[in-house]
Amino acid sequence: IKLASLVGSREMVSQDAVNHEVYHAAEAHLLTKSEVAMLDRHLEVGTPMYQDLIRIMDARGLRSVVNDRLLIPEERRAYAFQYYASGELKHKEPEAIGVLAKVKELLANIYNTLRGAGYTKPQDLFRDLKAGELAHRSFSSKFKNEHEHSLSVDQDEKIGLAV
């Protein structure tokens, strides 16, 4: 998983970076080949969605930094999700937005589960992942009850994944 590079970093992990890298991990297990191909069609150079993505990156002063990365379809998809999750990419194409929303919903559910386990910041989770702390947790009835409670309480809440 590409998250390993973020976990090992001494820098503070930004929410955008988390969303970007988690998309890479989630894409392989959540999206079908036809959904990925559809996103690629919407993110081809010159398409409205691609232009929206470029506008966001230009406004942030990032395009020159990642311009070569935008030539790679996997990166275009991850950047599109990153800015969709933060609320900045407001593309109107229902087909593409539906796929990004599917990933966002999955990540929201994962986040709610982790919050139920006591994690409130990605840095805390990454610290414990790196230390192997999560391997020592058992799915006890207490953890299960906290998990179920967090899912019911946070069902409609917008959460820190920029979700």
Side-chain angles (χ1 to χ4, degrees), residues 43-89:
L43 288 166
E44 286 179 5
V45 175
T47 61
M49 191 171 185
Y50 179 83
Q51 294 303 322
D52 290 347
L53 183 59
I54 293 301
R55 276 191 283 282
I56 293 165
M57 296 182 99
D58 282 344
R60 287 178 157 224
L62 296 174
R63 189 166 85 165
S64 63
V65 175
V66 297
N67 202 36
D68 60 327
R69 307 285 301 161
L70 292 176
L71 299 174
I72 304 166
E74 294 87 352
E75 289 300 316
R76 278 198 303 265
R77 292 189 302 270
Y79 280 113
F81 177 75
Q82 172 183 327
Y83 294 121
Y84 170 76
S86 72
E88 294 172 80
L89 183 64

